[in-house]
Amino acid sequence: LALEREDFDTAAGTVRIAKTLDERAGVFTLNPPKSKTGLRTVSLPAFALDAVRRLCADRAAGPVFTTATNTYFTKTNFIRKEWKPLLV
């Protein structure tokens, strides 16, 4: 959920993982990954790349996965509103 527009290279079909998002007491902090292996570039399959292109088409720099009010998802809200419906 810490991914920003700049982390995606749609021409190369990759996403760069370079940070984590920490939420404590309602405050969000971006941090580096815990280990060197956490820093990585991941190739996206075609279906994911298409979705990223649509998602980022009209999006300015900054966080990609946000709420309707353009804030980061809290862990609780992400699980309840986004993740659990996918498991049904």
Side-chain angles (χ1 to χ4, degrees):
L1 294 176
L3 294 173
E4 297 185 0
R5 174 64 190 95
E6 299 77 23
D7 296 323
F8 292 95
D9 183 341
T10 55
T14 61
V15 60
R16 175 85 176 135
I17 311 299
K19 56 192 158 299
T20 63
L21 181 64
D22 185 32
E23 175 204 354
R24 293 174 196 243
V27 176
F28 294 100
T29 308
L30 291 173
N31 298 306
K34 293 179 184 177
S35 69
K36 289 181 183 178
T37 57
L39 289 170
R40 60 203 183 276
T41 299
V42 178
S43 295
L44 297 171
F47 77 91
L49 184 57
D50 289 342
V52 166
R53 284 184 176 134
R54 286 191 308 272
L55 181 65
C56 293
D58 297 323
R59 190 175 292 271
V64 172
F65 302 104
T66 60
T67 65
T69 58
N70 226 17
T71 59
Y72 289 114
F73 280 102
T74 62
K75 181 179 177 181
T76 304
N77 279 343
F78 176 77
I79 291 170
R80 183 172 44 86
K81 292 182 177 181
E82 306 296 329
W83 188 252
K84 280 190 178 177
L86 295 174
L87 301 176
V88 177

